[in-house]
Amino acid sequence: MKELSVTGESPDESKQAQSSTGPTQAPSEPKEPSEAKASPEPKTPSEPKAPKTASAPKAKAGTSPAWAASPRPSTDDDARTDDGIPTDPRRSLSAGTDARKPAPDGAKAAAESRQTPRWAAGGTDSAAQATVALPALGAEADAEEDTATARTSATEEKHPAPGAAPSGDDPRSAAETPDRPAAVKPAPSPRPVRETEPVPPLAPPRPPAAGVSGPKAAERPTAVPGPVTTARPDTQPGTQPGPGQPEQRPRPPIDLLAQLTNTPPPPRTPMRAVARRFKIWGPVVVVLAVGVATAQMVRPLPKPTLALEGSASYTFQGGDFSVPWPDHGQSAAKVVGAGSLGTSGEQKPVPTASVAKVMTAYVILKGHPLKKGESGEQITLDAQAEADSANRDESRVPLKAGQRFTQEQMLQMLMIPSGNNVARQLARWDAGSEDAFAEKMNKVARELGMKDTVYTDPSGLLESTKSTAVDQLKLAEVVMQNEVFRQVVRMPNATIPGLEKPIYNNNALLSTQPGTAGIKTGSSTPAGGALMWAAYRTVDDKDRLILGVTMDQRSPGGDSNAHLKRALDNTQKVIAGVRDGLVSATVVKKGQVVGYVDDGLDGRTPLVATADLKSVGWPGLKPAFKLADGGRAVPHEAKAGTEVGVLTVGDGPGAAKVPVALRKDLSEPGLGSKLVRLG
């Protein structure tokens, strides 16, 4: 073999030298991929061994050839074995050693730049992982290796590495190598090698028999697959990324698991998402539903209530009816048990005069109750009561200090002749002072809802004691429920032991107007004439009580007595008109549905009247209907015909009433109603 001498001669001189040595031998045919991938043959002692490296030519002093200034490009020839067969790092695995021989001096730098993958180093733990995780990919890896090896061999044949010394086993002779040096290309930057888990080393394959080519790709062992990488979308499987391409990433665990188990992951669909949510939340919803249902079943049932039916109403028939109200001042009237007759005039607070004594009597009876036939406590008069008897500018009763009268007698002297001195004596006896008693009067007024009333003295003499007809009508309805009071106020006169002469009532209507029953007159210059009155009318063998108040009645140019007479005359007209207008009618018939029982869960059981109900009124009146339990608890279950309440028609204690009963059986709410209830 001719020694290739490298000098500093020019390219033309190199060409001449080449031509002098004779024509170069044509390169041999490229090897088949199977042959290129064949296992290296063991060397025999008889075969001569080629020198390891060619002597590096010495350059002239001070000069350096251009091709030696840059590192020699790395080619796959550097990875050949001593037999000239390329070595695959994934296939040439020994017990932790590198199967490659030292590279020639000219290619040493490029060979050192190539790194041996960590998985080829033969680590024990990584080899176990690779053996377990990737056994199913061996055949596919071998096919990819065959393709890569074939491409590498073809590249080696067309572009041999420049300056590489041929080995003794290289089939190409030295004569076939061109004498002129090939153009040196800059070595490409080494590809980033991703470290993978090492594969357990395999025993080197046995050399093939003489005259037999290496094993084919299909016959190669597939026990150790190559490292698994995820190719880019534009890269064929089994190819390595070229220069400038990104590093190949490992496949996601789910894809690797699918490949190992040969079961691709199911595609995500809306139906699968719904099914997954149902599997997760279904049991939770069932548990909650059972808990809610149990709680609803054990909860106490709501208390049943009574409600009126929309058809429960009535309007009294007859001709035109109107109350003959006074043309001035203010008035109010009502039929107890039937309803209000209305009002007249502006309801503004005005002085009450002696009508205030009604509140004084009510407070005394409230604090010191009396029953019919009882006289009550003994009251001793003080000196102030005797002194007040001398006041001729007010109504009074002649009294002396030290006299003793019963509580009933004191009430008669208070209401019949309207003694101011008696009112003040009762206040001191009850509260200790007149001011303290006035405070009690105002407290009771607030309890009765008399919002426009103020009491500053027990007799009403002071102009600052004011009220309205509507407020005083509230008081009249309450105080007339006391039997002792009713008996006193309807007396036209009375004889009391200890007094010089009988006392007379200032209410002339008690003798002139039939059916009049009091209550109290009042007159003064600031107040004019005032009258709280009561009258009766017998309807259906029952006495119907009519109450009214007339205030601020004045007679032109008259004194207080004239004002009082004007109030009496106007009140007489009102009483006569109301008495004549009262009628009786059957407002509810037996068996009529007047309401229902509401069980609180939308269950309704109708109620019917157990008898005909009559009430009193006047033409055009629409009495109020009220349904109550009558003091009895409404049951959850009851048979038809069971009385469960009372229907009231009218207003006040004299209202007409009739029991109501179930039209059908009353049953407890069902299961569905219990489950869906909210309250």
Side-chain angles (χ1 to χ4, degrees):
M1 179 180 296
K2 187 177 180 179
E3 188 72 14
L4 178 61
S5 148
V6 181
T7 63
E9 59 188 9
S10 64
D12 293 338
E13 294 174 351
S14 299
K15 291 181 181 179
Q16 294 175 3
Q18 180 179 0
S19 61
S20 64
T21 60
T24 59
Q25 186 178 354
S28 60
E29 294 297 325
K31 298 178 182 181
E32 292 297 327
S34 62
E35 296 176 358
K37 296 294 287 186
S39 302
E41 297 179 1
K43 299 179 182 180
T44 60
S46 61
E47 293 178 356
K49 186 174 182 182
K52 295 182 179 178
T53 59
S55 303
K58 296 182 180 180
K60 292 182 180 182
T63 63
S64 177
W67 57 268
S70 60
R72 174 177 171 271
S74 175
T75 63
D76 292 339
D77 290 345
D78 298 333
R80 295 178 181 273
T81 63
D82 294 341
D83 298 330
I85 300 176
T87 301
D88 188 352
R90 294 174 296 177
R91 305 289 296 177
S92 301
L93 302 176
S94 60
T97 62
D98 190 355
R100 294 183 297 173
K101 294 294 183 177
D105 295 340
K108 186 176 182 179
E112 289 177 354
S113 64
R114 303 175 62 88
Q115 299 179 1
T116 301
R118 191 177 63 182
W119 53 266
T124 303
D125 296 339
S126 60
Q129 295 176 1
T131 302
V132 175
L134 307 174
L137 302 181
E140 182 180 353
D142 287 343
E144 295 176 359
E145 292 171 4
D146 292 343
T147 305
T149 305
R151 293 178 182 174
T152 304
S153 300
T155 304
E156 293 172 355
E157 293 297 335
K158 294 181 181 180
H159 305 286
S167 64
D169 297 331
D170 191 346
R172 293 180 294 177
S173 63
E176 297 173 352
T177 304
D179 292 339
R180 83 180 157 81
V184 179
K185 297 181 181 180
S189 58
R191 297 191 301 271
V193 179
R194 182 178 59 84
E195 295 184 1
T196 59
E197 296 295 333
V199 180
L202 298 178
R206 292 181 298 175
V212 180
S213 61
K216 296 182 181 181
E219 298 174 354
R220 295 178 183 176
T222 60
V224 181
V228 178
T229 58
T230 302
R232 297 173 62 244
D234 56 350
T235 305
Q236 295 296 329
T239 61
Q240 298 295 332
Q245 294 183 351
E247 180 186 358
Q248 297 179 359
R249 300 293 181 181
R251 297 182 181 180
I254 187 65
D255 294 342
L256 182 58
L257 179 61
Q259 188 172 3
L260 292 175
T261 60
N262 200 22
T263 304
R268 294 181 63 86
T269 62
M271 291 300 297
R272 290 183 183 275
V274 172
R276 183 173 179 271
R277 293 189 182 97
F278 180 79
K279 290 179 181 179
I280 295 175
W281 293 104
V284 178
V285 173
V286 171
V287 172
L288 291 177
V290 172
V292 171
T294 303
Q296 291 286 71
M297 293 299 297
V298 301
R299 282 177 57 191
L301 292 174
K303 182 180 179 180
T305 58
L306 305 180
L308 285 170
E309 186 68 28
S311 59
S313 62
Y314 185 81
T315 302
F316 283 89
Q317 304 299 319
D320 295 337
F321 173 78
S322 62
V323 179
W325 301 109
D327 55 1
H328 65 279
Q330 55 182 288
S331 302
K334 70 179 303 180
V335 177
V336 177
S340 174
L341 289 163
T343 62
S344 68
E346 182 182 1
Q347 298 297 312
K348 62 181 181 179
V350 295
T352 63
S354 292
V355 175
K357 293 182 175 69
V358 177
M359 177 61 80
T360 301
Y362 180 70
V363 172
I364 293 296
L365 290 172
K366 188 177 178 66
H368 309 274
L370 288 179
K371 295 181 179 180
K372 185 178 181 179
E374 294 180 349
S375 299
E377 302 178 45
Q378 293 284 331
I379 301 173
T380 302
L381 303 181
D382 56 16
Q384 184 63 41
E386 182 178 358
D388 290 342
S389 300
N391 296 333
R392 298 181 178 275
D393 55 349
E394 58 178 314
S395 59
R396 67 211 183 278
V397 176
L399 298 174
K400 293 182 179 180
Q403 286 183 306
R404 295 172 62 87
F405 294 97
T406 64
Q407 181 180 340
E408 181 184 17
Q409 293 172 340
M410 293 291 288
L411 287 175
Q412 292 174 352
M413 290 186 286
L414 174 71
M415 301 302 296
I416 296 174
S418 190
N420 289 346
N421 57 340
V422 176
R424 290 190 284 268
Q425 176 65 71
L426 288 172
R428 292 189 296 270
W429 170 72
D430 177 77
S433 67
E434 298 177 24
D435 292 339
F437 189 81
E439 292 180 1
K440 297 179 67 174
M441 296 171 69
N442 288 319
K443 181 180 179 181
V444 174
R446 288 191 297 270
E447 293 174 355
L448 297 177
M450 302 169 65
K451 299 179 181 180
D452 297 326
T453 300
V454 176
Y455 292 102
T456 58
D457 70 299
S459 64
L461 179 65
L462 299 179
E463 185 178 353
S464 56
T465 297
K466 296 181 178 181
S467 185
T468 63
V470 172
D471 279 1
Q472 292 299 311
L473 184 60
K474 295 177 182 179
L475 175 61
E477 185 174 6
V478 174
V479 73
M480 284 296 288
Q481 297 177 20
N482 188 288
E483 187 175 7
V484 173
F485 181 84
R486 289 199 307 268
Q487 182 179 356
V488 170
V489 298
R490 70 186 306 172
M491 298 175 60
N493 55 73
T495 301
I496 299 175
L499 297 180
E500 298 178 357
K501 54 183 179 179
I503 54 177
Y504 295 92
N505 200 319
N506 293 329
N507 187 358
L509 296 180
L510 292 173
S511 57
T512 61
Q513 179 67 42
T516 303
I519 299 174
K520 185 70 187 71
T521 60
S523 63
S524 66
T525 301
L531 177 64
M532 178 186 291
W533 54 271
Y536 289 95
R537 167 74 190 279
T538 302
V539 180
D540 294 334
D541 298 331
K542 291 184 179 180
D543 291 336
R544 307 292 180 174
L545 178 61
I546 309 170
L547 298 175
V549 178
T550 305
M551 300 181 69
D552 197 19
Q553 301 296 303
R554 300 180 181 277
S555 178
D559 55 10
S560 58
N561 291 329
H563 297 328
L564 176 59
K565 185 177 185 305
R566 183 68 178 268
L568 293 172
D569 292 343
N570 290 336
T571 299
Q572 183 179 5
K573 297 176 182 179
V574 173
I575 294 174
V578 173
R579 285 169 55 90
D580 294 342
L582 290 182
V583 294
S584 175
T586 302
V587 296
V588 176
K589 295 182 179 180
K590 182 180 180 179
Q592 177 182 342
V593 177
V594 295
Y596 55 86
V597 177
D598 187 351
D599 61 8
L601 299 178
D602 296 333
R604 296 184 176 185
T605 304
L607 297 174
V608 295
T610 58
D612 291 344
L613 179 63
K614 288 186 175 183
S615 181
V616 66
W618 50 92
L621 172 65
K622 294 181 179 181
F625 280 67
K626 296 179 182 179
L627 191 59
D629 55 18
R632 296 173 294 182
V634 181
H636 291 285
E637 294 181 303
K639 295 293 184 180
T642 303
E643 294 184 1
V644 295
V646 176
L647 176 66
T648 301
V649 179
D651 185 21
K657 299 180 180 181
V658 62
V660 294
L662 296 171
R663 185 178 183 181
K664 62 179 183 179
D665 292 347
L666 176 62
S667 302
E668 192 174 271
L671 177 61
S673 299
K674 292 180 180 179
L675 291 177
V676 299
R677 58 176 165 169
L678 299 177

